[in-house]
Short mmCIF file of all heavy atoms in Angstrom, two decimals:
data_model
loop_
_atom_site.label_atom_id
_atom_site.label_comp_id
_atom_site.label_asym_id
_atom_site.label_seq_id
_atom_site.Cartn_x
_atom_site.Cartn_y
_atom_site.Cartn_z
N ASP E 681 22.59 -63.77 102.20
CA ASP E 681 22.47 -65.23 102.29
C ASP E 681 20.98 -65.55 102.22
O ASP E 681 20.16 -64.71 101.87
CB ASP E 681 23.13 -65.74 103.56
CG ASP E 681 22.40 -65.39 104.84
OD1 ASP E 681 21.34 -64.75 104.80
OD2 ASP E 681 22.92 -65.74 105.90
N GLN E 682 20.61 -66.81 102.50
CA GLN E 682 19.22 -67.23 102.35
C GLN E 682 18.28 -66.53 103.31
O GLN E 682 17.07 -66.61 103.19
CB GLN E 682 19.09 -68.76 102.46
CG GLN E 682 19.37 -69.31 103.86
CD GLN E 682 20.85 -69.69 104.04
OE1 GLN E 682 21.73 -69.13 103.40
NE2 GLN E 682 21.11 -70.60 104.95
N PHE E 683 18.82 -65.82 104.31
CA PHE E 683 17.99 -65.09 105.30
C PHE E 683 18.04 -63.58 105.10
O PHE E 683 17.48 -62.83 105.89
CB PHE E 683 18.45 -65.45 106.72
CG PHE E 683 18.48 -66.90 107.00
CD1 PHE E 683 19.68 -67.57 107.12
CD2 PHE E 683 17.29 -67.63 107.10
CE1 PHE E 683 19.70 -68.93 107.34
CE2 PHE E 683 17.30 -69.00 107.33
CZ PHE E 683 18.51 -69.65 107.43
N GLY E 684 18.72 -63.11 104.03
CA GLY E 684 18.86 -61.69 103.80
C GLY E 684 20.06 -61.08 104.52
O GLY E 684 20.27 -59.87 104.45
N LEU E 685 20.84 -61.89 105.22
CA LEU E 685 22.01 -61.39 105.97
C LEU E 685 23.14 -61.05 105.00
O LEU E 685 23.40 -61.78 104.07
CB LEU E 685 22.48 -62.47 106.93
CG LEU E 685 23.69 -62.11 107.79
CD1 LEU E 685 23.32 -61.12 108.85
CD2 LEU E 685 24.27 -63.38 108.42
N PHE E 686 23.81 -59.93 105.31
CA PHE E 686 25.01 -59.57 104.52
C PHE E 686 26.04 -58.99 105.50
O PHE E 686 25.68 -58.47 106.55
CB PHE E 686 24.69 -58.59 103.41
CG PHE E 686 24.21 -57.25 103.83
CD1 PHE E 686 25.09 -56.18 104.05
CD2 PHE E 686 22.84 -57.03 104.05
CE1 PHE E 686 24.62 -54.94 104.45
CE2 PHE E 686 22.39 -55.80 104.45
CZ PHE E 686 23.28 -54.76 104.64
N SER E 687 27.27 -59.13 105.15
CA SER E 687 28.39 -58.62 105.93
C SER E 687 29.38 -57.90 105.02
O SER E 687 29.58 -58.31 103.88
CB SER E 687 29.15 -59.78 106.60
OG SER E 687 28.32 -60.50 107.45
N LEU E 688 29.94 -56.82 105.50
CA LEU E 688 30.91 -56.06 104.72
C LEU E 688 31.77 -55.23 105.68
O LEU E 688 31.58 -55.26 106.87
CB LEU E 688 30.24 -55.17 103.66
CG LEU E 688 29.06 -54.28 104.12
CD1 LEU E 688 29.60 -52.99 104.73
CD2 LEU E 688 28.18 -53.99 102.94
N VAL E 689 32.74 -54.51 105.12
CA VAL E 689 33.61 -53.65 105.91
C VAL E 689 33.46 -52.22 105.38
O VAL E 689 33.77 -51.96 104.21
CB VAL E 689 35.06 -54.12 105.84
CG1 VAL E 689 35.95 -53.15 106.64
CG2 VAL E 689 35.21 -55.51 106.39
N ILE E 690 32.95 -51.33 106.22
CA ILE E 690 32.86 -49.93 105.87
C ILE E 690 34.31 -49.41 105.76
O ILE E 690 35.08 -49.61 106.70
CB ILE E 690 32.05 -49.12 106.89
CG1 ILE E 690 30.65 -49.69 107.05
CG2 ILE E 690 32.03 -47.65 106.56
CD1 ILE E 690 29.85 -49.11 108.19
N GLY E 691 34.63 -48.79 104.68
CA GLY E 691 35.99 -48.37 104.44
C GLY E 691 36.60 -49.12 103.28
O GLY E 691 37.68 -48.75 102.79
N HIS E 692 35.96 -50.22 102.84
CA HIS E 692 36.47 -51.01 101.74
C HIS E 692 35.53 -50.94 100.50
O HIS E 692 35.65 -51.78 99.60
CB HIS E 692 36.63 -52.48 102.19
CG HIS E 692 37.70 -52.66 103.14
ND1 HIS E 692 38.10 -53.92 103.59
CD2 HIS E 692 38.51 -51.80 103.83
CE1 HIS E 692 39.08 -53.81 104.48
NE2 HIS E 692 39.33 -52.55 104.61
N GLY E 693 34.66 -50.00 100.49
CA GLY E 693 33.71 -49.87 99.35
C GLY E 693 34.26 -48.93 98.28
O GLY E 693 35.38 -48.48 98.31
N ASP E 694 33.37 -48.63 97.31
CA ASP E 694 33.68 -47.69 96.26
C ASP E 694 33.39 -46.26 96.79
O ASP E 694 32.24 -45.91 97.00
CB ASP E 694 32.81 -47.99 95.02
CG ASP E 694 33.13 -49.31 94.41
OD1 ASP E 694 34.31 -49.72 94.43
OD2 ASP E 694 32.18 -49.95 93.92
N VAL E 695 34.46 -45.48 96.97
CA VAL E 695 34.36 -44.18 97.59
C VAL E 695 33.76 -43.16 96.60
O VAL E 695 34.11 -43.14 95.44
CB VAL E 695 35.75 -43.67 98.06
CG1 VAL E 695 35.66 -42.30 98.68
CG2 VAL E 695 36.33 -44.67 99.05
N SER E 696 32.88 -42.36 97.10
CA SER E 696 32.23 -41.27 96.34
C SER E 696 33.05 -40.00 96.49
O SER E 696 33.53 -39.69 97.60
CB SER E 696 30.80 -41.04 96.82
OG SER E 696 30.30 -39.88 96.30
N PRO E 697 33.16 -39.17 95.45
CA PRO E 697 33.86 -37.90 95.58
C PRO E 697 33.02 -36.82 96.31
O PRO E 697 33.51 -35.75 96.55
CB PRO E 697 34.09 -37.48 94.12
CG PRO E 697 33.02 -38.15 93.35
CD PRO E 697 32.74 -39.46 94.09
N ASP E 698 31.79 -37.18 96.70
CA ASP E 698 30.91 -36.22 97.39
C ASP E 698 31.41 -35.84 98.78
O ASP E 698 31.15 -34.76 99.26
CB ASP E 698 29.48 -36.77 97.54
CG ASP E 698 28.82 -37.01 96.18
OD1 ASP E 698 29.30 -36.47 95.18
OD2 ASP E 698 27.85 -37.77 96.14
N GLY E 699 32.10 -36.74 99.44
CA GLY E 699 32.57 -36.50 100.82
C GLY E 699 33.82 -35.67 100.88
O GLY E 699 34.54 -35.52 99.88
N LYS E 700 34.08 -35.15 102.06
CA LYS E 700 35.28 -34.36 102.32
C LYS E 700 36.53 -35.18 102.25
O LYS E 700 37.60 -34.67 101.86
CB LYS E 700 35.12 -33.65 103.69
CG LYS E 700 36.28 -32.77 104.08
CD LYS E 700 35.99 -32.12 105.42
CE LYS E 700 37.17 -31.22 105.84
NZ LYS E 700 36.88 -30.57 107.16
N TYR E 701 36.46 -36.44 102.65
CA TYR E 701 37.63 -37.35 102.73
C TYR E 701 37.50 -38.45 101.72
O TYR E 701 36.46 -38.99 101.46
CB TYR E 701 37.79 -37.91 104.15
CG TYR E 701 38.02 -36.85 105.20
CD1 TYR E 701 36.96 -36.42 105.99
CD2 TYR E 701 39.27 -36.29 105.37
CE1 TYR E 701 37.17 -35.44 106.96
CE2 TYR E 701 39.50 -35.34 106.33
CZ TYR E 701 38.45 -34.87 107.11
OH TYR E 701 38.67 -33.93 108.06
N GLU E 702 38.69 -38.87 101.22
CA GLU E 702 38.74 -39.98 100.26
C GLU E 702 38.95 -41.31 100.98
O GLU E 702 38.77 -42.37 100.35
CB GLU E 702 39.85 -39.80 99.27
CG GLU E 702 39.62 -38.60 98.32
CD GLU E 702 40.75 -38.43 97.36
OE1 GLU E 702 41.68 -39.25 97.30
OE2 GLU E 702 40.73 -37.39 96.65
N LYS E 703 39.33 -41.25 102.28
CA LYS E 703 39.55 -42.46 103.04
C LYS E 703 38.88 -42.33 104.38
O LYS E 703 38.87 -41.23 104.98
CB LYS E 703 41.05 -42.72 103.27
CG LYS E 703 41.82 -43.05 102.02
CD LYS E 703 43.25 -43.39 102.36
CE LYS E 703 43.98 -43.83 101.12
NZ LYS E 703 45.35 -44.27 101.41
N LEU E 704 38.35 -43.42 104.86
CA LEU E 704 37.70 -43.44 106.17
C LEU E 704 38.66 -43.08 107.27
O LEU E 704 38.33 -42.42 108.26
CB LEU E 704 37.10 -44.83 106.42
CG LEU E 704 36.15 -45.02 107.55
CD1 LEU E 704 34.88 -44.20 107.34
CD2 LEU E 704 35.77 -46.48 107.74
N THR E 705 39.92 -43.45 107.12
CA THR E 705 40.93 -43.21 108.15
C THR E 705 41.36 -41.72 108.19
O THR E 705 42.01 -41.32 109.13
CB THR E 705 42.20 -44.07 107.88
OG1 THR E 705 42.66 -43.82 106.55
CG2 THR E 705 41.87 -45.50 108.12
N GLY E 706 40.93 -40.90 107.23
CA GLY E 706 41.26 -39.50 107.21
C GLY E 706 40.38 -38.66 108.14
O GLY E 706 40.70 -37.51 108.46
N ILE E 707 39.26 -39.22 108.59
CA ILE E 707 38.30 -38.49 109.43
C ILE E 707 38.94 -38.25 110.79
O ILE E 707 39.56 -39.17 111.39
CB ILE E 707 37.00 -39.30 109.54
CG1 ILE E 707 36.33 -39.41 108.18
CG2 ILE E 707 36.07 -38.63 110.58
CD1 ILE E 707 35.15 -40.37 108.17
N ASP E 708 38.72 -37.09 111.37
CA ASP E 708 39.11 -36.76 112.73
C ASP E 708 38.01 -37.30 113.65
O ASP E 708 36.99 -36.67 113.85
CB ASP E 708 39.33 -35.28 112.93
CG ASP E 708 39.82 -34.93 114.33
OD1 ASP E 708 39.92 -35.88 115.19
OD2 ASP E 708 40.13 -33.74 114.60
N TRP E 709 38.19 -38.48 114.15
CA TRP E 709 37.14 -39.21 114.89
C TRP E 709 36.80 -38.61 116.25
O TRP E 709 35.79 -38.91 116.86
CB TRP E 709 37.50 -40.70 115.04
CG TRP E 709 37.46 -41.40 113.73
CD1 TRP E 709 38.51 -41.56 112.86
CD2 TRP E 709 36.34 -41.93 113.07
NE1 TRP E 709 38.10 -42.19 111.70
CE2 TRP E 709 36.76 -42.47 111.84
CE3 TRP E 709 35.00 -42.10 113.45
CZ2 TRP E 709 35.91 -43.07 110.95
CZ3 TRP E 709 34.15 -42.73 112.57
CH2 TRP E 709 34.60 -43.22 111.32
N GLY E 710 37.64 -37.68 116.73
CA GLY E 710 37.41 -37.10 118.05
C GLY E 710 36.92 -35.65 117.97
O GLY E 710 36.71 -35.03 119.01
N ALA E 711 36.75 -35.09 116.80
CA ALA E 711 36.44 -33.67 116.67
C ALA E 711 35.00 -33.31 116.96
O ALA E 711 34.76 -32.26 117.52
CB ALA E 711 36.79 -33.20 115.23
N ASP E 712 34.04 -34.15 116.60
CA ASP E 712 32.65 -33.79 116.73
C ASP E 712 31.80 -35.06 116.80
O ASP E 712 32.31 -36.14 116.59
CB ASP E 712 32.21 -32.94 115.54
CG ASP E 712 30.97 -32.07 115.80
OD1 ASP E 712 30.33 -32.24 116.86
OD2 ASP E 712 30.63 -31.25 114.95
N LYS E 713 30.50 -34.91 117.05
CA LYS E 713 29.62 -36.06 116.97
C LYS E 713 29.60 -36.51 115.55
O LYS E 713 29.61 -35.70 114.61
CB LYS E 713 28.19 -35.66 117.37
CG LYS E 713 28.02 -35.37 118.83
CD LYS E 713 26.57 -35.02 119.12
CE LYS E 713 26.38 -34.62 120.54
NZ LYS E 713 25.01 -34.12 120.82
N LEU E 714 29.56 -37.83 115.35
CA LEU E 714 29.53 -38.38 113.99
C LEU E 714 28.28 -39.29 113.87
O LEU E 714 27.88 -39.95 114.80
CB LEU E 714 30.77 -39.21 113.71
CG LEU E 714 32.09 -38.39 113.71
CD1 LEU E 714 33.26 -39.33 113.52
CD2 LEU E 714 32.05 -37.35 112.61
N TYR E 715 27.73 -39.22 112.68
CA TYR E 715 26.51 -40.01 112.39
C TYR E 715 26.79 -40.95 111.18
O TYR E 715 27.50 -40.55 110.25
CB TYR E 715 25.32 -39.08 112.07
CG TYR E 715 24.87 -38.31 113.27
CD1 TYR E 715 25.55 -37.14 113.63
CD2 TYR E 715 23.85 -38.76 114.07
CE1 TYR E 715 25.16 -36.42 114.74
CE2 TYR E 715 23.48 -38.05 115.19
CZ TYR E 715 24.11 -36.87 115.54
OH TYR E 715 23.75 -36.17 116.63
N LEU E 716 26.21 -42.15 111.23
CA LEU E 716 26.34 -43.08 110.11
C LEU E 716 24.96 -43.19 109.45
O LEU E 716 23.97 -43.57 110.10
CB LEU E 716 26.78 -44.45 110.63
CG LEU E 716 26.93 -45.50 109.51
CD1 LEU E 716 28.07 -45.14 108.59
CD2 LEU E 716 27.20 -46.89 110.15
N LYS E 717 24.94 -42.85 108.18
CA LYS E 717 23.70 -42.97 107.39
C LYS E 717 23.84 -44.24 106.56
O LYS E 717 24.82 -44.42 105.87
CB LYS E 717 23.58 -41.75 106.48
CG LYS E 717 22.35 -41.74 105.59
CD LYS E 717 22.35 -40.44 104.77
CE LYS E 717 21.17 -40.33 103.84
NZ LYS E 717 21.22 -39.07 103.06
N VAL E 718 22.81 -45.10 106.63
CA VAL E 718 22.82 -46.33 105.86
C VAL E 718 21.65 -46.34 104.88
O VAL E 718 20.52 -46.05 105.23
CB VAL E 718 22.66 -47.55 106.82
CG1 VAL E 718 22.66 -48.84 106.04
CG2 VAL E 718 23.75 -47.54 107.89
N GLU E 719 21.98 -46.63 103.62
CA GLU E 719 20.95 -46.67 102.57
C GLU E 719 21.12 -47.98 101.81
O GLU E 719 22.23 -48.44 101.66
CB GLU E 719 21.18 -45.48 101.57
CG GLU E 719 21.12 -44.12 102.22
CD GLU E 719 21.60 -43.05 101.26
OE1 GLU E 719 22.82 -42.90 101.17
OE2 GLU E 719 20.76 -42.41 100.65
N ILE E 720 19.99 -48.53 101.31
CA ILE E 720 20.09 -49.72 100.48
C ILE E 720 19.27 -49.56 99.21
O ILE E 720 18.35 -48.77 99.17
CB ILE E 720 19.66 -51.01 101.19
CG1 ILE E 720 18.19 -51.02 101.56
CG2 ILE E 720 20.53 -51.31 102.39
CD1 ILE E 720 17.68 -52.37 102.04
N ASP E 721 19.71 -50.25 98.19
CA ASP E 721 19.01 -50.28 96.88
C ASP E 721 18.88 -51.77 96.56
O ASP E 721 19.82 -52.40 96.08
CB ASP E 721 19.86 -49.53 95.82
CG ASP E 721 19.22 -49.62 94.43
OD1 ASP E 721 18.11 -50.15 94.28
OD2 ASP E 721 19.88 -49.12 93.52
N THR E 722 17.71 -52.33 96.84
CA THR E 722 17.51 -53.76 96.65
C THR E 722 17.38 -54.17 95.20
O THR E 722 17.55 -55.31 94.86
CB THR E 722 16.26 -54.22 97.43
OG1 THR E 722 15.13 -53.51 96.94
CG2 THR E 722 16.44 -53.99 98.90
#
Side-chain angles (χ1 to χ4, degrees):
D681 71 3
Q682 68 269 26
F683 304 109
L685 179 73
F686 65 93
S687 301
L688 50 82
V689 177
I690 302 171
H692 291 186
D694 295 325
V695 179
S696 168
D698 297 343
K700 181 177 179 180
Y701 298 100
E702 293 180 8
K703 292 185 177 185
L704 193 64
T705 55
I707 296 171
D708 183 355
W709 292 92
D712 202 351
K713 291 180 183 175
L714 296 176
Y715 293 83
L716 181 66
K717 179 179 180 181
V718 180
E719 302 168 278
I720 64 170
D721 177 5
T722 59

